[in-house]
Each structure stands twice: as structure tokens, then as C-alpha cells.
Amino acid sequence: MNKQTLTLKILGCRGSVPIEGEDFKIYGGATSSICVLAETTSDAGHVTEEIYLDSGSGIVNAKPLPDSHISILISHMHIDHLVGMTSFPALSQKDRRIDIYAAARNGLKVNDAIDKLFSPPYWPLKVTDYPSDARYYELKENFNIGNVKIKNIEVNHPGGSSTYKIEFAGKNIVYAIDFEHNENELKKLADFSRNADLMIYDGQYTPDEYPGCFGYGHSIPEVGIEFAKNNGIKRILFSHHAPEHTDSFLSEWEKKIKEIFPDSSFAKAGMEIKII
């Protein structure tokens, strides 16, 4: 017997800053964090790789499995992608192994960058001071987490950002938020993600908003749709919603997007997607 499953859950999909209120219930107000579960059941037993893409405030809502191996892949060091890390439930579980991967930024190694945010006087503890067994790793271009293959490329964003590809059991997920498009960047992303089973793409701005936000490091769903159609992307999910985009605004926009590309949607808090 050999059974493999690949699923993901949206814990947070808001961009820039957490937000709350009656107008933000459907798509949620927590910032970026997605849990990917890659599970293998065989005669030898059951193995679960529990991989988190970013640790924004959404990771506070995670429910780590008791027997999984936990990894966190950080796209970049901006606060909205890190702010939930010290409230991640597994961090307080004694001796729980947590592997944290990120690229060096602004001359700071991953441990130095995260310690700069989470240490006195800004926070009472460093991540490695918690009861868990948290370990930092400098990001490599290609590496394995168990039997999951991880690839990454650097993309256009202030200070840099990593776009990840998770490959497992013949399927792959591409995580490409905090990405600003231009001709060269789209070609690079196409070479990296062509024929992906699922792409999570930066959809922070509308076409009308984007010209006033050029250089901020984000994209628009309409560009993502054309990219998906031209590169064999089977399904595309737009994330990193702008703080001011309400549920009603996003719902109406999503209807228009689906008319262009039916296998597209906007990420919603609590959404679960089964790949296999």
C-alpha cells in the first residue's frame, strides 16, 4: 500500500497589515500564511510533512498535527510575513522540531534578521528561546524536506523575495506573492512555474490602482490570468489582498476574473484545496 495526498489550507491571505471588521469576514484579515500537508502512507508507516508558507498573523490559527515534521518557508523579511511566528502554537511545544528556511536579506542571515525583530526590547524572547526545537537554515536553490522537493527563485520586490515551488507525488504548487511583474520577471516566473497544478499569485492591486503603486512590489490578477493562460497553469489563486479591499469588493471582482479564467479564485480564510 502506498497512498499520497497533497492539500493546503489558507490561514491568512491579507497583504501589508492585519485587519478586522464585519467587512472582512469572508476573505479574512490575517496576513500571509498557508499550510501545505504532504502525506505518505505505506507499509512502513505514515509520514506527514507540514510546510508553512510564510508566518504572517494567519499562522496563529494553525493546528499543527502531533506527528508531523514542521517546516516554515519564509518568502522575505517584511513584518506582515513574520508577525505571527512567535504565536505559532507549535513553538510552545517542548522539543517540537521546527525548521525555518529563508534567504539572507540586507546582509543579515536568517537567524540575525528574525532575531532583530523578535528580541528585547521589541519582544521578550527570541524564537529559539521558546520550548520547541526551532532551527534556522539559509535558503538553497533546491533542497528536500523529506520526500518533498523545494525549489525557489528570487523575484522582484523591495529588498527581494523568494518564490517557492513545492513538488510532491508528481504535482506541484507555486507560491508567487510579493511579486511585481515586468517582462523579464514574467519570463523568469514562466520558466520556473510552467504547467503548475496550482499557482498562488500576488493579486494586491486592481488595474486602476497599480499605476499609483508601481514599485511597491505587487501585481494584479489580470496579469496573473494572462500568465496562467499562456503557461499551462491549471489553477490560480490570488492572495495578498489589499487591506482596504472588502468582502463585497473582492467578491464582485472575483466574478469578473472567473469569467475570463474559470479555474481562478481569490484566496479566502479557511479555504482548503486538495491537490491529490
Side-chain angles (χ1 to χ4, degrees):
M1 179 183 69
N2 188 23
K3 180 181 179 182
Q4 294 178 299
T5 62
L6 181 64
T7 59
L8 65 84
K9 182 174 182 178
I10 305 296
L11 303 174
C13 51
R14 190 65 55 172
S16 302
V17 66
I19 196 164
E20 62 178 352
E22 289 301 316
D23 290 331
F24 304 96
K25 298 291 188 184
I26 298 172
Y27 296 89
T31 58
S32 298
S33 188
I34 295 174
C35 178
V36 177
L37 292 177
E39 301 181 83
T40 301
T41 302
S42 67
D43 294 336
H46 184 82
V47 177
T48 301
E49 297 296 344
E50 187 169 347
I51 300 171
Y52 291 87
L53 296 165
D54 278 325
S55 61
S57 63
I59 204 170
V60 175
N61 301 316
K63 293 180 172 56
L65 298 174
D67 59 348
S68 64
H69 171 220
I70 294 176
S71 303
I72 302 175
L73 308 181
I74 302 297
S75 61
H76 63 302
M77 296 299 177
H78 289 168
I79 291 175
D80 54 324
H81 293 256
L82 294 174
V83 67
M85 184 176 288
T86 53
S87 295
F88 177 41
L91 203 63
S92 296
Q93 296 173 359
K94 184 171 175 54
D95 299 326
R96 182 68 185 263
R97 177 73 176 268
I98 302 172
D99 294 332
I100 303 168
Y101 298 84
R105 303 282 178 200
N106 296 97
L108 292 174
K109 294 181 179 180
V110 52
N111 58 306
D112 294 328
I114 294 178
D115 285 351
K116 192 173 182 179
L117 177 63
F118 296 119
S119 61
Y122 308 109
W123 192 254
L125 299 174
K126 295 180 180 179
V127 169
T128 49
D129 291 333
Y130 281 74
S132 66
D133 178 15
R135 306 182 188 187
Y136 292 118
Y137 296 90
E138 295 297 318
L139 195 60
K140 297 179 181 179
E141 185 176 350
N142 301 304
F143 59 100
N144 287 357
I145 297 175
N147 55 0
V148 180
K149 293 182 180 179
I150 307 294
K151 298 180 180 179
N152 74 92
I153 56 171
E154 278 292 293
V155 296
N156 183 27
H157 188 74
S161 185
S162 301
T163 280
Y164 289 100
K165 179 159 60 175
I166 295 175
E167 298 181 348
F168 177 74
K171 302 292 183 180
N172 62 75
I173 299 168
V174 174
Y175 180 68
I177 64 171
D178 289 73
F179 163 81
E180 183 160 6
H181 61 275
N182 60 43
E183 184 176 350
N184 289 335
E185 288 292 311
L186 288 170
K187 183 182 185 306
K188 180 168 63 175
L189 187 62
D191 293 340
F192 182 73
S193 61
R194 193 169 285 113
N195 300 319
D197 295 284
L198 173 66
M199 169 172 272
I200 302 155
Y201 185 90
D202 191 303
Q204 177 142 345
Y205 298 122
T206 68
D208 290 337
E209 292 168 338
Y210 179 70
C213 302
F214 180 78
Y216 289 9
H218 299 286
S219 191
I220 62 177
E222 286 76 4
V223 168
I225 289 292
E226 285 304 306
F227 180 88
K229 290 164 63 176
N230 292 336
N231 292 285
I233 307 299
K234 298 176 181 64
R235 181 174 181 178
I236 190 165
L237 186 67
F238 296 105
S239 190
H240 212 273
H241 310 311
E244 65 272 18
H245 289 169
T246 63
D247 288 340
S248 59
F249 181 91
L250 290 171
S251 294
E252 287 302 312
W253 192 9
E254 184 179 45
K255 291 176 185 176
K256 297 175 183 177
I257 291 297
K258 282 184 170 293
E259 290 176 0
I260 305 171
F261 191 72
D263 290 321
S264 64
S265 55
F266 284 9
K268 300 176 178 68
M271 175 186 281
E272 294 191 27
I273 298 175
K274 184 176 178 63
I275 308 297
I276 53 173

